[in-house]
Amino acid sequence: IDQIVTNRILALPIFAVIMFLIYTISLGTVGDWTVGFMNDTLFGTWIIPAATEGLASLGCTDWLISLVADGILGGVGSVLGFVPQMLILFLLLSVLEDCGYMSRIAFIMDRLFRKFGLSGKSFIPMLVGTGCSVPGIMASRTIENERDRRMTIITTSFIPCGAKLPVIALISGVMFGRENAFVATGAFFIGMAAVVISGLMLKKTKLFAG
């Protein structure tokens, strides 16, 4: 098995296929269904309308109804929608960990990532972070070394995820007009470069040196 999954030529294509399947299941297909159910059905159709009607029947003012229904319950619902995604992601990552594949891919990526002060295991949280930084940062819990885990959490925050890209596109479109495509693309790569630069900077600090 090691001759195949750690092969100089086959290792990265095999890893790409495996991560594509994990990415698709946890953050796509099944993950999208769970988020849709939590946000649109559970909170959007059942809980929030029921709370709105209940508060209205009690004679509450409009601002209080909006605060509870749209603010508190809406905010909680949007956050809880990520919980099933993270459960699926952790389940799949634990399978890879138990079968020994995580240590093998960490071995493959370790030489490259050590140049930036990171661990080879940092690659998976960063890859997940391109879809969403929340499960990406949570995925860093699989890194045993506390120093590597902290550095991964800090650097993963710079990766442009699906939530950051619309904000980048909006700001660049409003402020830079025709040049917005170059600005938005530049902002994306600046975010990726910030991962490398911050890793090198943290590597030199007393807290993460060693």
Side-chain angles (χ1 to χ4, degrees), residues 10-209:
L10 298 177
L12 291 181
I14 292 174
F15 174 69
V17 172
I18 292 175
M19 288 309 301
F20 174 78
L21 294 175
I22 291 179
Y23 207 100
T24 302
I25 294 172
S26 61
L27 302 181
T29 55
V30 179
D32 283 342
W33 180 85
T34 57
V35 172
F37 173 77
M38 291 287 289
N39 291 346
D40 300 333
T41 305
L42 183 60
F43 278 87
T45 305
W46 298 341
I47 296 179
I48 293 178
T52 302
E53 293 179 4
L55 292 173
S57 64
L58 295 175
C60 296
T61 59
D62 293 339
W63 69 265
L64 181 59
I65 295 175
S66 178
L67 173 65
V68 175
D70 301 328
I72 298 175
L73 295 178
V76 170
S78 62
V79 174
L80 290 180
F82 289 103
V83 173
Q85 280 188 335
M86 287 186 280
L87 290 175
I88 297 170
L89 176 64
F90 285 138
L91 175 62
L92 296 176
L93 291 179
S94 66
V95 172
L96 293 182
E97 185 72 38
D98 292 340
C99 71
Y101 185 73
M102 288 280 283
S103 58
R104 287 168 171 81
I105 195 60
F107 169 76
I108 295 170
M109 302 301 298
D110 195 67
R111 179 178 298 179
L112 174 63
F113 272 63
R114 285 298 176 189
K115 294 180 180 180
F116 309 128
L118 299 171
S119 166
K121 288 189 175 182
S122 303
F123 183 71
I124 292 179
M126 289 184 178
L127 182 63
V128 175
T130 59
C132 180
S133 295
V134 175
I137 292 173
M138 293 294 291
S140 63
R141 291 170 61 89
T142 58
I143 302 175
E144 296 86 359
N145 186 282
E146 184 177 357
R147 169 190 171 276
D148 293 339
R149 184 168 61 251
R150 288 181 177 179
M151 287 191 64
T152 302
I153 291 172
I154 294 172
T155 53
T156 300
S157 304
F158 291 108
I159 294 180
C161 66
K164 297 185 182 78
L165 292 179
V167 178
I168 293 174
L170 175 64
I171 293 176
S172 62
V174 171
M175 298 183 64
F176 297 96
R178 293 182 178 180
E179 293 76 20
N180 71 85
F182 298 100
V183 174
T185 305
F188 177 86
F189 285 105
I190 288 173
M192 302 300 291
V195 175
V196 177
I197 295 172
S198 60
L200 294 173
M201 292 176 61
L202 291 172
K203 184 180 179 181
K204 302 298 182 179
T205 61
K206 186 177 297 186
L207 180 63
F208 295 99

